[in-house]
Amino acid sequence: VLSIERRHALLRWAGRSGALVLEDDYDSEFRYGGRPIPALQGIDPDGRVIYLGSFSKVLSPDLRLGYVVSSPPVARALAAAKRRADRQSPLFLQRAVAAYLTEGHFSRHLWRMRARYGKRRRALVEELRRILSPAAEVVSGRAGIQLLLRITDAPPAATPTLCQALLNRGVRLDAATDCYLGRAACAEFLLGFARHEPAELEEPLRIIAEVLADFRARGWRAVAEPVAGDRASA
C-alpha cells in the first residue's frame, strides 16, 4: 500500500506529465485496524485520478457491477465509450444496488463482513505462523481479503514448481512473484481467506506444509525437476 507521501509524489508526477492515474481499489472497505490512508482520488486537486471500484468483491461475485469516480470530462468520455461498447449494465441491478446503498443496508453489510473476515484472517495468520515457521513470513496488512506468504528460504525461481506441486495435491496458490517490476527476494504467494471458514483451511495448510518440507529436504533441487502426479482440480 502506497504511503501518503508516495501518493502525493505520484499526484505531483501526474500533474507534471499530464498523465491520468487509474486507482483500482476493490477491497479497501474491509479494514481490520489502524487509520485508513486516503484514496488518491480523494486528495487529487487536479482531477487526474480515475477511481475504480467493484460491487463484486464487497457484495457478491455474481453481481457484475462496478463504478467509476472521476472528473466530469473523463466521466462523460467513459460514458460515451460504454454506450458504444455494450449499451449499459442491467438497469434492474443498478437500481437495486442504488436502493441498497441509499437505505443504509450497505454500511451494515460491511460491518458484518469485516467482523467475519477479520475472524477468518486472524485464524489463518495464526495457523500459518504455527505450522510454517520459521522459514515463512506472513504479511497480513490491515485491509483487504488476501495475505502475502513469503517462503524466505525458497528462491523466487521455485515459485512455479511449488505452485504446480501444490495444485497436484488440490491446493491452488497465486504467485506474487509475478507482480514485481524487478526480481522478488524469495518465493511469494497470495492467499485469499474470504471464502473459507477456519476449519476448512486445516487440510490445505497441512498440504502446504508437507510440500514445503519435501522441497526443503531436497535443498530446493526440485526447482528444475518436473513435478510428478496428475493435475488436480482446485
Side-chain angles (χ1 to χ4, degrees), residues 4-6 9 15 26 32 38 44 57 66-67 91 107-108 115 134 150 159 167 169 184 203 212 216 220 223:
I4 189 65
E5 292 80 14
R6 293 194 68 193
Y26 63 86
Y32 312 107
D44 172 23
K57 296 290 186 183
Y67 57 91
L91 285 175
S107 298
R108 291 190 288 272
R150 291 186 176 125
T159 304
L167 190 57
R169 298 281 302 274
E203 179 67 8
L212 290 175
R216 191 172 289 116
W220 300 107
V223 170

Side-chain angles (χ1 to χ4, degrees), residues 104-184:
H105 304 299
F106 186 62
S107 298
R108 291 190 288 272
H109 165 77
L110 288 180
W111 185 86
R112 290 193 301 269
M113 298 313 293
R114 282 193 198 105
R116 181 177 299 176
Y117 290 166
K119 179 181 177 181
R120 295 177 180 179
R121 170 179 164 272
R122 287 191 300 272
L124 179 56
V125 169
E126 291 171 1
E127 192 66 7
L128 283 169
R129 288 174 174 164
R130 183 182 69 83
I131 67 174
L132 298 182
S133 295
E137 177 185 354
V138 183
V139 183
S140 60
R142 293 182 175 178
I145 52 177
Q146 292 178 316
L147 301 176
L148 179 66
L149 175 64
R150 291 186 176 125
I151 310 303
T152 55
D153 64 336
T159 304
T161 311
L162 279 170
C163 285
Q164 186 60 56
L166 289 167
L167 190 57
N168 289 344
R169 298 281 302 274
V171 176
R172 176 179 174 177
L173 295 184
D174 293 322
T177 47
D178 297 336
C179 301
Y180 280 80
L181 289 175
R183 180 180 173 85

Side-chain angles (χ1 to χ4, degrees), residues 167-218:
L167 190 57
N168 289 344
R169 298 281 302 274
V171 176
R172 176 179 174 177
L173 295 184
D174 293 322
T177 47
D178 297 336
C179 301
Y180 280 80
L181 289 175
R183 180 180 173 85
C186 61
E188 296 185 359
F189 306 92
L190 291 172
L191 282 71
F193 56 83
R195 288 182 59 188
H196 303 288
E197 294 291 345
E200 298 174 332
L201 297 172
E202 293 178 2
E203 179 67 8
L205 292 178
R206 182 187 63 79
I207 292 173
I208 293 173
E210 289 178 357
V211 170
L212 290 175
D214 177 59
F215 275 64
R216 191 172 289 116
R218 289 185 277 165

